Structure formats: C-alpha cells, structure tokens
Amino acid sequence: MQTTVDFKTLAVTGVQALQPYQPGKPIEELERELGISNILKLASNENPLGASPKAQAALATALKSLELYPDGSGYQLKAAIADKFGLQSVQITLGNGSNDVLDIIARAFLDNSRAAVFSEYAFAVYPIVIQAVGAELQPAKANPSTHDTMPYGHNLVNLAEKITDKTRVVFIANPNNPTGTWLGKEELHSFLSRVPEDVIVVIDEAYTEYVTDPTFPNALAWLAEFPNLIVTRTFSKIYGLAGLRVGYAASNPAIADMLNRVRQPFNVNSLALAAAQAALGDDDFLERSVATNAAGLQQWFAACAENGWEYIPTAGNFITINMQRPAAPLYEALLREGVIVRPIGGYGLPQHLRITVGTEAQNTRCINALQKVLTA
Ligand SMILES: *Cc1c(COP(=O)(O)O)cnc(C)c1O
C-alpha cells in the first residue's frame, strides 16, 4: 500500500531493533511449496506421540461450552499444578504458552531504564521480550565450542559478571534450547545464592520432564529458598499440547501478584485449560513420552557415532548437530526429502541443525535423509 509514512520510525525504539522469531516451517507450507505429502516435521520439539489421550477426552467435553468465557483465574488448572508440585495456587501464573509468561515477566519488571541478562545461544524469545519493552540486552558469552563437558552451554560466571545495577531479570533455560545443554544442581544453586535478591532469576524448564538424570535440578524445589526465583514450564513439549498454547510460571506469591496484574484477563482459553489439567494427570502418557525420547536419543547418539556427526550434549527432546559446513543448504535439501528440521543460523550457529527426537521410524527416516543429502 502506498504511503509516505515510515512506520518503522513510529515504532518504539526497542521494537525497531527487533528480529522477528523464526518458527519451524509448518507442514502445510512445505506441502504448498513443493506439492509433496508425507512430510516429517522434526523442527519444533513437538511430541511425536501426539497429545495425551486424557487431554483429548477433556477437549471433547470442553468443546460443548465454547460460548462461555474461560475461567479468567484458571482456578482448577492452578490448583492441579499446585497440588502436583506441592505449591500453592497463589504462586502460579498461567500463560498462553510459556512464551506469554516470559513476555508478562518482561512487561512487569523491565522498561527502558532497566536491563536483562541472558546467555549467548539461549532461547530466542528472551531478547525479543526484553527489547519489546525497551530494556537493555545484557548477553553473556556461552562456554566455548571446545569446552570439555558442556560446549555452547550457559556459563554462570559470565552470566553473573553481566549483572549490573540496571539488571532486573536474568533468563536461564535449563535444559537450553537450541543447544540442549544444561546446568547441574550445585552450580545453579550456588549461582542463585550469589544473585542479589532484587534481581529476578527466571529458570525456564520447558524440557525438564524429559530429563532422566535423577540428580538434575528441579528449580521448583528452590522457590521457598529464593524469593526472587521464577520457574517457567509449558504444556507444549512433553504434554503434547503446543497447538493449544498453555504454560505457567511458579514464583513467590508477591511476584505472581505482579505478573497477574499484567496478564490479559482471559489469556488461556477454555480448551487449553481443560486439556492441560487432564494432561497433567496423565502419568502413563508422560512415562511413554520419556521412554520414547530416551530411546530416540540413544538412536541418534549411535547414528552420530557411526557417521562421525558431532553433536552438542543434550538433555532435551532434540539434538543439535554440527554439520561442519553451512547448514542452510542441507536444511533446504532435507526439505526436498520431505523432512523439516531447524537451521539455527539466527542463533549464531550457521553450521548446526537442530533436530527433534521422533519415534524410532521417524528418526530412521531423518538419519537416512541426512546421510543422503550429505553425500549428494
Ligand atoms: C519450546 C520452548 C518454550 C515453550 O514455549 P511455549 O510458549 O510454552 O510453547 C519455552 N522455553 C523454551 C526454551 C522452549 O524451547
């Protein structure tokens, strides 16, 4: 449309500098572009087993009341979350996906006089929510690619050094996406003890349910000890409800009170509320999802060893492989094989591909396709 107005100059300063989030390519888009079917999407860390059957059953019931506004307080879902994790409902803030919660945190605690710390190679949504409210970005260097145990992982010394008087929030993903790397219990606990109490630490545990190591930190257990801690979790990953958009934050009640002031009154829809509550209690589905992912990771580790593919250590439901050459053409070639993975050049890792762990058959198809495009 014709106009002489430069709308970019009208946008607030932080927004002018934003790089839009690049999501995984949708299956329908690739179908339209290439006219192919039988597409395998391993690009957005979705659950290959689908959604919890209990959630699907709850949806059928919830569908009968679409004319009603959802419960704006999310009373039942918050009670179910609190009950499952030994918390109180007043500690929970519900979001339209946990991305919404991250955005709410930024709007509640950041503005153009404040700053937020996060790691290089951390989840792309952190800089987006920080900049959108005009706050200053304080990115910390990650571990070097040559690090013995956790290459590309968050470096807590570097993160702590970035904290200044302006810092109000630190964002940490554990495990992190897109690297899969993680922080251990002692190092993370000791970091929390060192952070000033007026700096909020957000520990994003989107993938925590996939972690099988019993010594892995559970940040929810630290809420009583650290009043400045916010833990975020999601129903998008292991619970298989990415399409419904529901996640939550757990924090001390005073922080939750601030977050709930910013939250849109009906940010979580009635279908999402019902499905999330049912999924939360579906232990059988969770167990199967963990087992499928653990087996799938072993399959990928074996394939990487066989093919000489170097991967970043991962505790999530995805594996990030260094292709030792520009990954974008490989990504494009895989699309022509009907396999969608995730190039992560936008994260400063132009030679890596991030691949969601699927079922055994899906992994086999992706491994074969990768071998094919690498030798083409
Ligand atoms: C996928 C993901 C989320 C979840 O986002 P939703 O908005 O809940 O779908 C949050 N944090 C990280 C690090 C993720 O990878």
Side-chain angles (χ1 to χ4, degrees), residues 97-99 123 126 177 204 206-207 234 236-237 245:
S98 56
N99 285 327
F123 189 40
Y126 309 149
N177 165 26
D204 177 346
Y207 300 97
T234 181
S236 297
K237 302 286 156 59
R245 314 302 306 129

Side-chain angles (χ1 to χ4, degrees), residues 21 44-45 96-102 122-126 173-178 204-207 232-237 241-242 245-248 318 354:
Y21 181 79
S44 301
N45 304 340
N96 191 270
S98 56
N99 285 327
D100 184 33
V101 176
L102 298 171
F123 189 40
V125 168
Y126 309 149
N174 200 39
N176 180 46
N177 165 26
D204 177 346
E205 294 190 331
Y207 300 97
T232 63
R233 292 195 176 184
T234 181
F235 288 93
S236 297
K237 302 286 156 59
L241 300 176
R245 314 302 306 129
V246 51
Y248 59 94
F318 56 91
R354 192 195 71 195

Side-chain angles (χ1 to χ4, degrees), residues 113-115 138 162-168 198-199:
S113 69
R114 303 169 183 202
Q138 297 179 306
K162 281 286 165 182
I163 297 174
T164 63
D165 290 346
K166 257 183 114 175
T167 308
R168 285 295 160 77
D198 58 358
V199 173

Side-chain angles (χ1 to χ4, degrees), residues 321-361:
I321 303 178
N322 186 348
M323 308 313 308
Q324 319 281 357
R325 59 167 114 166
L330 293 171
Y331 162 73
E332 298 289 339
L334 284 171
L335 290 181
R336 292 189 290 274
E337 298 298 317
V339 178
I340 312 176
V341 299
R342 190 70 155 266
I344 50 174
Y347 283 89
L349 296 169
Q351 302 210 338
H352 287 74
L353 289 176
R354 192 195 71 195
I355 302 171
T356 303
V357 173
T359 61
E360 187 182 354

Side-chain angles (χ1 to χ4, degrees), residues 165-235:
D165 290 346
K166 257 183 114 175
T167 308
R168 285 295 160 77
V169 184
V170 179
F171 289 97
I172 289 175
N174 200 39
N176 180 46
N177 165 26
T179 56
T181 51
W182 64 95
L183 294 162
K185 202 180 261 180
E186 275 169 31
E187 52 179 339
L188 192 50
H189 185 271
S190 117
F191 174 82
L192 285 167
S193 334
R194 293 193 316 265
V195 173
E197 260 198 34
D198 58 358
V199 173
I200 288 169
V201 179
V202 178
I203 301 186
D204 177 346
E205 294 190 331
Y207 300 97
T208 199
E209 298 89 352
Y210 279 111
V211 180
T212 50
D213 175 358
T215 68
F216 196 80
N218 164 17
L220 293 178
W222 294 333
L223 285 170
E225 189 180 352
F226 299 107
N228 55 334
L229 173 62
I230 303 179
V231 182
T232 63
R233 292 195 176 184
T234 181
F235 288 93

Side-chain angles (χ1 to χ4, degrees), residues 40 42 48-49 289-309 311 314 316-321 355-371:
L40 171 59
L42 297 174
L49 302 185
S289 300
V290 171
T292 302
N293 189 62
L297 278 175
Q298 291 308 318
Q299 189 184 355
W300 271 103
F301 295 155
C304 287
E306 236 167 74
N307 292 282
W309 298 335
Y311 58 91
T314 178
N317 66 339
F318 56 91
I319 185 162
T320 299
I321 303 178
I355 302 171
T356 303
V357 173
T359 61
E360 187 182 354
Q362 291 174 338
N363 298 331
T364 300
R365 179 173 166 194
C366 186
I367 290 162
N368 291 341
L370 201 51
Q371 286 168 337

Side-chain angles (χ1 to χ4, degrees), residues 17-318:
L18 275 185
Q19 293 297 324
Y21 181 79
Q22 290 175 339
K25 194 180 195 64
I27 290 174
E28 295 78 8
E29 190 178 300
L30 186 59
E31 274 174 353
R32 277 198 306 275
E33 286 172 4
L34 296 186
I36 57 176
S37 56
N38 188 25
I39 288 166
L40 171 59
K41 184 184 179 211
L42 297 174
S44 301
N45 304 340
E46 292 143 339
N47 189 329
L49 302 185
S52 142
K54 287 192 176 162
Q56 297 187 42
L59 280 174
T61 308
L63 268 181
K64 294 177 186 154
S65 313
L66 290 183
E67 76 284 8
L68 300 177
Y69 273 98
D71 172 5
S73 75
Y75 180 87
Q76 289 194 66
L77 177 56
K78 288 203 296 196
I81 293 168
D83 185 52
K84 177 161 176 160
F85 299 110
L87 302 169
Q88 298 170 284
S89 289
V90 287
Q91 295 184 267
I92 310 298
T93 308
L94 299 178
N96 191 270
S98 56
N99 285 327
D100 184 33
V101 176
L102 298 171
D103 189 56
I104 291 169
I105 293 167
R107 286 192 289 137
F109 292 103
L110 297 173
D111 66 14
N112 61 10
S113 69
R114 303 169 183 202
V117 170
F118 59 99
S119 178
E120 186 183 20
Y121 315 130
F123 189 40
V125 168
Y126 309 149
I128 293 178
V129 300
I130 297 164
Q131 279 181 288
V133 295
E136 182 189 325
L137 300 173
Q138 297 179 306
K141 275 282 179 206
N143 288 335
S145 61
T146 51
H147 193 271
D148 343 330
T149 51
M150 214 46 80
Y152 306 96
H154 286 20
N155 182 303
L156 291 169
V157 172
N158 295 348
L159 283 163
E161 275 176 2
K162 281 286 165 182
I163 297 174
T164 63
D165 290 346
K166 257 183 114 175
T167 308
R168 285 295 160 77
V169 184
V170 179
F171 289 97
I172 289 175
N174 200 39
N176 180 46
N177 165 26
T179 56
T181 51
W182 64 95
L183 294 162
K185 202 180 261 180
E186 275 169 31
E187 52 179 339
L188 192 50
H189 185 271
S190 117
F191 174 82
L192 285 167
S193 334
R194 293 193 316 265
V195 173
E197 260 198 34
D198 58 358
V199 173
I200 288 169
V201 179
V202 178
I203 301 186
D204 177 346
E205 294 190 331
Y207 300 97
T208 199
E209 298 89 352
Y210 279 111
V211 180
T212 50
D213 175 358
T215 68
F216 196 80
N218 164 17
L220 293 178
W222 294 333
L223 285 170
E225 189 180 352
F226 299 107
N228 55 334
L229 173 62
I230 303 179
V231 182
T232 63
R233 292 195 176 184
T234 181
F235 288 93
S236 297
K237 302 286 156 59
I238 205 164
Y239 292 99
L241 300 176
L244 284 177
R245 314 302 306 129
V246 51
Y248 59 94
S251 65
N252 86 52
I255 287 183
D257 177 25
M258 293 304 120
L259 301 181
N260 275 298
R261 291 176 193 212
V262 175
R263 188 179 64 83
Q264 295 285 324
F266 303 105
N267 63 334
V268 185
N269 70 73
S270 53
L271 299 181
L273 288 171
Q277 191 186 337
L280 200 62
D282 195 344
D283 292 336
D284 172 62
F285 180 75
L286 284 192
E287 273 171 37
R288 283 192 290 123
S289 300
V290 171
T292 302
N293 189 62
L297 278 175
Q298 291 308 318
Q299 189 184 355
W300 271 103
F301 295 155
C304 287
E306 236 167 74
N307 292 282
W309 298 335
E310 181 191 304
Y311 58 91
I312 303 177
T314 178
N317 66 339
F318 56 91

